[in-house]
Structure formats: structure tokens, C-alpha cells
Amino acid sequence: SRYLPYHQGGTFDNSPYFMRSSMTTGIACEFAFLSGVIAPENEKRAMDIVCDENYTISDVSHFGDIDPQIIEKSMEEALSLREYWKGNFTALTPPSDKRDEIVAYTLHLPCEDRGVILVFRREEAAASFVIKLSDVRPDTEYTLKLSDEDYATTEMTVDGKSLKEGLSVNIEKAPGSLLIFYKAENID
């Protein structure tokens, strides 16, 4: 159940793969574990810092070698996904805990004909994956914005028929993730 959406997810790592796998309507970050050692004093210290009323995500100097810009980018991305949790959740792959499988799901806002796809390549999974969306209209053009593990974005336009029948995407890193926002072009 590592990648099934819950009301609140938690992460112990700041990589896009782990941050994205924790994204739901809420996210809890346990950066005390980044040293690789789960020590009770580190956890308590992290919780004291995060629970402080003056705590902000941009002030991560107390967590050591974490890059504040990466954390900020991760949190911006998490916040941009919040509205999609009001839409329809559709699993694009069956539940699995196997290291050689890709796990993917979509959140679709039908009234606005737009959504987001989250794809996770596990450690031993193939680099390519075919996305098939049932909630898109075949006669409509869709703008896609893809964000990879380095937060590099690519935009493209595809027809709904390609999204329904299967659009192949690649995830270079393993483990790695891909975030794809899609929107019908004729709807604002």
C-alpha cells in the first residue's frame, strides 16, 4: 500500500519519488530520517521544529544538507495537486508491492476535463509505461505538462484518442517518478 492515496501521506525523504508518493490532501515530512538513522532524539527534534508556530518550509537550515529550493519545489508541487483530490481517482495499474512493477494512478476533474497522472517506477521496473486514460474525450486535444525526477518540465499536445488507446512515457531513473498534468485545450 505504499502508493495508495490516503487523507494524509508521510515522507522521510525529499526526493521527488518519495514526495510524490506521499502526496494526498495533506503531507507530513519527517526529515529527521534523512541521515539514514532513525534516532528518537532526531525525531523529537524534528517534531519540535515542525510544530513550532514560527516554522516555515523555507527555513530548513536546521535539517542539515537539505536543499531548501528542492523542498520548496516539492511543496509547491504538493499544493498544486490538492485540488485534484476532489476529482475522480482511477488506478492505472493493479495494486502491487513488487519491485519490478510500475504503479500509476490518475486524478480527474470531469467538469473541467483536466487531471493529473502520477507514475512511479520501482527499483527493478522497466523504464517505459503506457498510459491509458478512460476519462478523456477522443475527439479533443489535450495539453500535457510532464515533470520528471529533476523537476524538468516538458509540454506537448496530444489527441484524446492517443490518451485512450495508449501513450508511452519513459522514466529514466529507478526508482523514479513522473507527474503529468493534462487539460483539454478547449476548456479554460
Side-chain angles (χ1 to χ4, degrees), residues 27-90:
I27 186 169
C29 302
E30 294 289 340
F31 298 122
F33 305 127
L34 287 177
S35 64
V37 177
I38 302 174
E41 63 273 9
N42 287 348
E43 183 176 8
K44 181 181 181 333
R45 184 171 160 258
M47 291 307 294
D48 289 344
I49 290 167
V50 173
C51 293
D52 184 290
E53 64 185 39
N54 297 315
Y55 173 77
T56 62
I57 193 63
S58 60
D59 179 19
V60 294
S61 58
H62 38 258
F63 288 127
D65 62 355
I66 296 174
D67 182 346
Q69 292 178 333
I70 296 295
I71 299 299
E72 189 171 327
K73 182 69 175 167
S74 296
M75 296 311 292
E76 283 175 14
E77 194 174 82
L79 291 172
S80 74
L81 287 176
R82 289 179 93 178
E83 67 178 310
Y84 292 96
W85 287 100
K86 294 183 254 174
N88 297 335
F89 169 85
T90 304

Side-chain angles (χ1 to χ4, degrees), residues 173-187:
K173 293 182 181 180
S177 63
L178 185 63
L179 182 69
I180 306 168
F181 290 93
Y182 64 93
K183 179 180 178 183
E185 284 199 11
N186 60 343
I187 297 177

Side-chain angles (χ1 to χ4, degrees), residues 2-34 50 55 57-58 60 63 66-82 85 105 107 116-121 147-151 175-179 181:
R2 289 191 296 177
Y3 305 106
L4 293 179
Y6 293 103
H7 181 67
Q8 179 175 339
T11 185
F12 59 89
D13 191 336
N14 68 336
S15 70
Y17 180 87
F18 282 103
M19 291 295 287
R20 290 171 176 169
S21 69
S22 300
M23 289 183 185
T24 61
T25 54
I27 186 169
C29 302
E30 294 289 340
F31 298 122
F33 305 127
L34 287 177
V50 173
Y55 173 77
I57 193 63
S58 60
V60 294
F63 288 127
I66 296 174
D67 182 346
Q69 292 178 333
I70 296 295
I71 299 299
E72 189 171 327
K73 182 69 175 167
S74 296
M75 296 311 292
E76 283 175 14
E77 194 174 82
L79 291 172
S80 74
L81 287 176
R82 289 179 93 178
W85 287 100
Y105 62 88
L107 303 166
V116 64
I117 306 162
L118 288 99
V119 185
F120 299 95
R121 177 186 179 194
S147 177
D148 66 16
E149 274 291 300
D150 298 317
Y151 296 110
S177 63
L178 185 63
L179 182 69
F181 290 93

Side-chain angles (χ1 to χ4, degrees), residues 82-131:
R82 289 179 93 178
E83 67 178 310
Y84 292 96
W85 287 100
K86 294 183 254 174
N88 297 335
F89 169 85
T90 304
L92 300 177
T93 58
S96 173
D97 62 355
K98 295 180 181 175
R99 294 183 178 273
D100 63 349
E101 295 201 14
I102 287 180
V103 175
Y105 62 88
T106 184
L107 303 166
H108 183 74
L109 298 171
C111 294
E112 300 170 31
D113 202 4
R114 64 186 176 101
V116 64
I117 306 162
L118 288 99
V119 185
F120 299 95
R121 177 186 179 194
R122 293 201 176 128
E123 296 86 346
E124 300 168 16
S128 65
F129 178 71
V130 177
I131 294 169

